[in-house]
Every structure is written in C-alpha cells, then in structure tokens.
C-alpha cells in the first residue's frame, strides 16, 4: 500500500481569527463550511489546489487555553524562492515571529499560527543533505545569494550532492 498525503484537520478556539490568518497569510481558499454536530461546532474546509476539496480543515471545538502541543508543525512547499521571501515579508509586517532555517535541501521559514500551531513553508534547493540539519539563514538575501549561502554552508557535509542524484539512487534502490 502506498499512501499519499491528503489533508490535516486542526481543532481551534477562534475559527474566525484562524481563517483570517490561513486565508490572508497563506492564501488558502474556503471551499466549504458548515455545522458539524448538535453542539453547534463548525467545520471549515480550505484548499489551495483546485483539484482537492480540502487540504486543511478547522473545527472550532478546542476549549483549552494551552499552546498547541500534540502537533509539531505542518509543512508546505512552495515553487519559488520569491514565495518564501514574500511570505517572510508578510509575516514580518504582521508582527509574527519567524525562524528562517535552511536544512541544506530547503530554505524554510518556521512560524506559528495565531493559536500556536507550528508551520513551515519551504522552497527546495538544488541539493540533498542528510538530515537533521538546520542553520539560520538571512532572509534579506536574494535567490542567488541564498543559494550561494547554502552551498557555502553545507558543501562540506559528506552527503551534500545534487538532489537529482540522491533521488535517482533512491528510485534505483541503491541508497
């Protein structure tokens, strides 16, 4: 059996605040919403993919005031470096704390949603590096500068290599 990722559902306290964040900052679109049970709880479905009914859903059933703790983070891939840079600027303008980390194979920005759920948005670099790795990167760099920084900071790792070589070996079963 080969599983493919479908969606995540978050239990939230303030569904309107969370919807504002996920739609305005992360560009999700609401695809459906409605009452979930006799208690009046609501579920909201969201997606960025027009071929997926929902990639993320939220249910306003969370009552505790503690920071989220059962979820480490949700991670989202973007197609371009510019998208990571634009998100970093959006988060900075909203006063959201971020942790820009590179894993060698990605340039990532980590942050929390309004209820403390961890999020990562990343762009793939052209390289593979065995994990775990994590080094803070300068988000003021342009794409060329960021890639030069990654190369400089990870090239001495024994597993640093072009990502296509790594995936070719994995596909062949020789890794």
């Amino acid at each position: 059996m080969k599983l493919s990722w479908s969606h995540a559902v978050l239990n939230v306290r303030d569904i309107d605040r969370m919807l504002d964040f996920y739609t305005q900052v992360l560009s999700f679109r609401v695809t459906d919403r409605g009452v979930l049970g006799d208690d009046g709880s609501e579920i909201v479905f969201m997606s960025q993919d027009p071929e997926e009914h929902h990639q993320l859903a939220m249910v306003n059933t969370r009552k505790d005031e503690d920071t989220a703790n059962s979820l480490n983070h949700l991670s989202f891939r973007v197609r371009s470096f510019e998208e990571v840079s634009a998100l970093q600027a959006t988060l900075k303008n909203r006063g959201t704390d971020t942790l820009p980390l590179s894993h060698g194979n990605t340039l990532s920005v980590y942050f929390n949603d309004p209820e403390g759920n961890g999020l990562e948005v990343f762009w793939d670099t052209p390289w593979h590096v065995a994990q775990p790795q994590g080094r803070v990167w300068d988000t003021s760099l342009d794409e060329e500068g960021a890639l030069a920084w990654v190369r400089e900071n990870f090239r001495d790792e024994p597993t640093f290599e072009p990502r296509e070589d790594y995936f070719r070996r994995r596909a062949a079963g020789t890794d």
Side-chain angles (χ1 to χ4, degrees):
M1 168 174 52
K2 180 181 179 188
L3 300 176
S4 62
W5 184 255
S6 174
H7 65 272
V9 179
L10 297 175
N11 294 319
V12 304
R13 290 183 293 263
D14 184 340
I15 204 160
D16 292 327
R17 184 173 179 219
M18 294 290 278
L19 281 174
D20 176 67
F21 183 84
Y22 279 83
T23 58
Q24 299 303 310
V25 174
L26 297 178
S27 302
F28 277 92
R29 294 184 62 205
V30 173
T31 60
D32 257 328
R33 74 188 297 168
V35 175
L36 189 58
D38 294 339
D39 64 356
S41 58
E42 183 179 17
I43 187 166
V44 178
F45 300 94
M46 295 177 286
S47 186
Q48 289 187 346
D49 184 342
E51 295 184 17
E52 288 285 345
H53 175 266
H54 65 282
Q55 297 171 296
L56 187 63
M58 295 178 189
V59 183
N60 64 339
T61 56
R62 187 167 170 204
K63 303 297 182 213
D64 68 326
E65 293 300 319
D66 295 334
T67 302
N69 60 18
S70 61
L71 172 71
N72 186 286
H73 70 278
L74 301 172
S75 183
F76 301 97
R77 174 182 281 117
V78 294
R79 293 183 183 173
S80 72
F81 176 82
E82 290 75 22
E83 291 170 292
V84 171
S85 293
L87 174 64
Q88 173 66 25
T90 297
L91 292 167
K92 182 178 179 181
N93 289 339
R94 288 179 67 104
T96 302
D97 291 332
T98 63
L99 175 60
L101 281 182
S102 175
H103 302 293
N105 58 353
T106 67
L107 287 164
S108 300
V109 174
Y110 287 84
F111 54 100
N112 289 338
D113 71 18
E115 293 193 3
N117 296 297
L119 300 169
E120 173 192 16
V121 172
F122 71 91
W123 174 66
D124 290 314
T125 71
W127 302 288
H128 166 75
V129 181
Q131 299 301 307
Q133 300 278 344
R135 299 180 190 162
V136 175
W137 65 283
D138 179 356
T139 59
S140 70
L141 295 170
D142 64 9
E143 182 176 340
E144 184 179 328
L147 288 174
W149 179 90
V150 170
R151 188 180 313 106
E152 177 68 26
N153 280 272
F154 290 94
R155 70 178 174 207
D156 293 333
E157 293 293 326
T159 59
F160 184 82
E161 66 180 318
R163 73 184 298 110
E164 61 268 9
D165 293 352
Y166 169 74
F167 287 116
R168 190 176 309 112
R169 274 198 334 281
R170 282 204 53 210
T174 59
D175 66 328

